[in-house]
Structures are given as C-alpha cells and as structure tokens.
Amino acid sequence: MSLETALYDEPAWYDLLHQEGTEEEAAMVLDLFSLHGNGGKDVLEPACGTGRLLAAFTKKGFRVTGYDINAKALAFARKKNRRARLIKSGMTAFCEPNSFDLAFNLLGTFRHLERDKEALRHLELTARSLRKGGIYIVQLDLSDYEHPEDDEETWTARAGLKQIDHVMMSLAPDRKRRSEKILHFLNLKGPGGAKRVKSVYALRSYDLAQLEALIARSPLRLIETLLYPEDGPGVRDAVCVLGVSKK
Ligand SMILES: C[S@@+](CC[C@H](N)C(=O)[O-])C[C@H]1O[C@@H](n2cnc3c(N)ncnc32)[C@H](O)[C@@H]1O
C-alpha cells in the first residue's frame, strides 16, 4: 500500500474530523441491515480505524469486531469502546469463517485495495466470514472518467479547545491506471499548541461498471446499489449492499 499515514496516525484528530456524520452513517448501515439482513447480532468492520462507527452497534446490543492495520488507531479504539473486539489485521488477511451477520466498510476505505486481486481476495475472505443471509455494505465514491476534474473539500471541526482545519484534494483519476491521488492538509490546534499534518496516498478508482464487474467476479452478489446523486456527471457516492450467494 503506497500510503503516507500521517492522518491515520492521529486517531483522536481523525475521530474529531469525522465526528459530524458518524451517527447518520451508522444509522444508514442499521437501516440497510434491517431491510436486507438476517437479524443476527454479530457485526464486523474491516479497516475500522478508530472504531468511530462501532459505538452505535455496541449500544444497540450487537457483538462487535473491528480490525485494522494501524496499531495507533486500534489502541485509541480499544480505550473508547471496551466492549468491541479489536484485532490488528489486514483486508487481505482477516477471515473468521461463518462468524458475522453484518459487515460494513464506509468512506471509500475499500479503495485502499489498489489491485483487483487484493479487492477480490478481500471480498472472498469477507464472504467466508459471513453467515447465511449475511450482508456486506460497502460505500465508496465513483469516478467520472468522462469529466475528470481535481476536487477540493475543506472543513473545520471543533471540540472544546481543539480545532482541526482540513483540506482534502482528490486529483482527477487516471482511467488507465485506475488510480486516484488523495492529499490531506491538516492544521491541528489544541491546548498543547499547533501542528501541521499532511497525508498523501493513492486509491483504486472505480466507475459503476468497473465496480459491478468486480463484484460479479466475487463470491458476493449485489443486492442493491444506492447512488447519490442518482445520475448526472461528476463524482457519485455509491452504497452497495452485497449478500452471500451460497451457504
Ligand atoms: C478512511 S479510514 C476509515 C476508518 C473507519 N472505517 C471509518 O469509517 O472511520 C481508512 C482505514 O483503513 C485502514 N487500512 C488501509 N488499508 C488497510 C488494509 N489493507 N487492511 C486493513 N486496514 C487498512 C487505515 O489504517 C485506516 O484506519
């Protein structure tokens, strides 16, 4: 993985940056599980980072497991959520056969798998980890290769004396290489002083056809794709509900 992980190495700041929206994201996953799931109680979050989304599930009585490759994020997650089982592992390694009813992977984290081979391995291991009727919810942004554009998003998050100013740039995806460069510039201000953090990494790019073709090659079947906006040019957000085909 070509990744300068500075942002992921700052779990408290990462958590604050994504605080707004966390409740809605967890609620969306729960809604989709009510609609398409098997009613089970075991939840898995591959690449869970700081575990910001897991609290909503432990509160509702789910048994929760998260894994990530970043030890700092996991240490932070463990302190925050004593009821979650948190494991250091990777998306092309973790497998606990027939153990989970729901898995989810939001914020385009799946795109960290930069090759089809890795993405397919991850889908295969996750499919094996799901029980009968289990679902995997994957959310990512889709590229529009016909209208390639650099994109910039800025936002500020605050808690008490802490403030984080964030600029995120996504460079226009390269259709041939299937790669998109992401840059984060963060200004962290708190009682202890100020600090600048930069992250640069590449993500796999997908348009809808490429995503559906990948899923068709995996052991998971596509139950539903929600698109925002539904059509039109530009980057779109996709939420895919994937189900276990045979069990
Ligand atoms: C954008 S963050 C998302 C974290 C969390 N899922 C969330 O929604 O806040 C991406 C996370 O993926 C983790 N990650 C990246 N590549 C990974 C891999 N191959 N296996 C496991 N974790 C990975 C990073 O350490 C980071 O915590």
Side-chain angles (χ1 to χ4, degrees):
M1 179 174 49
S2 53
L3 178 67
E4 186 189 314
T5 57
L7 170 59
Y8 298 154
D9 286 341
E10 298 281 350
W13 291 104
Y14 174 93
D15 227 42
L16 174 59
L17 188 64
H18 291 286
Q19 199 170 46
E20 201 185 316
T22 292
E23 218 178 286
E24 289 80 3
E25 287 166 82
M28 172 198 72
V29 172
L30 280 161
D31 282 352
L32 289 171
F33 186 57
S34 304
L35 201 63
H36 297 289
N38 62 5
K41 281 285 170 198
D42 288 291
V43 175
L44 173 68
E45 186 183 5
C48 63
T50 60
R52 70 187 176 94
L53 292 155
L54 295 176
F57 294 86
T58 38
K59 257 188 225 155
K60 288 202 176 284
F62 287 92
R63 289 176 292 271
V64 165
T65 300
Y67 70 83
D68 199 280
I69 45 165
N70 188 304
K72 289 183 183 168
L74 287 170
F76 179 85
R78 283 191 190 104
K79 272 194 205 150
K80 242 184 22 172
N81 191 338
R82 304 254 174 223
R83 282 188 283 164
R85 192 165 68 101
L86 295 155
I87 297 166
K88 188 162 186 297
S89 191
M91 286 193 276
T92 51
F94 182 91
C95 186
E96 289 186 357
N98 282 310
S99 303
F100 302 98
D101 304 294
L102 165 66
F104 63 87
N105 184 306
L106 309 188
L107 284 188
T109 301
F110 179 73
R111 297 177 57 206
H112 275 304
L113 299 164
E114 288 183 70
R115 301 269 169 272
D116 276 2
K117 197 174 161 204
E118 294 168 8
L120 286 168
R121 177 85 184 136
H122 171 66
L123 293 177
E124 184 196 321
L125 296 176
T126 308
R128 272 166 42 194
S129 299
L130 288 169
R131 294 193 181 111
K132 191 174 177 192
I135 60 168
Y136 188 23
I137 298 171
V138 178
Q139 182 230 341
L140 48 80
D141 33 342
L142 297 174
S143 298
D144 179 355
Y145 301 118
E146 301 307 322
H147 305 89
E149 267 183 13
D150 295 348
D151 188 48
E152 187 176 308
E153 232 184 298
T154 56
W155 77 94
T156 294
R158 291 184 192 87
L161 295 172
K162 288 169 86 176
Q163 177 172 322
I164 178 165
D165 298 303
H166 178 227
V167 179
M168 177 177 164
M169 293 171 70
S170 318
L171 304 190
D174 181 327
R175 185 205 282 265
K176 209 164 156 210
R177 288 183 48 238
R178 299 277 312 274
S179 183
E180 187 177 345
K181 192 169 177 183
I182 312 289
L183 301 101
H184 297 266
F185 301 95
L186 300 115
N187 227 335
L188 316 176
K189 289 178 229 146
K195 164 160 133 175
R196 281 173 199 271
V197 167
K198 186 179 139 199
S199 266
V200 184
Y201 51 87
L203 296 177
R204 182 83 165 147
S205 63
Y206 291 91
D207 65 14
L208 188 57
Q210 289 167 339
L211 183 60
E212 289 181 348
L214 182 88
I215 294 165
R217 290 168 62 201
S218 85
L220 292 165
R221 75 192 159 89
L222 185 57
I223 298 175
E224 182 182 16
T225 306
L226 304 162
L227 293 169
Y228 309 96
E230 273 182 36
D231 48 34
V235 173
R236 289 193 290 167
D237 195 48
V239 179
C240 297
V241 182
L242 310 178
V244 180
S245 311
K246 289 182 213 145
K247 219 158 242 204

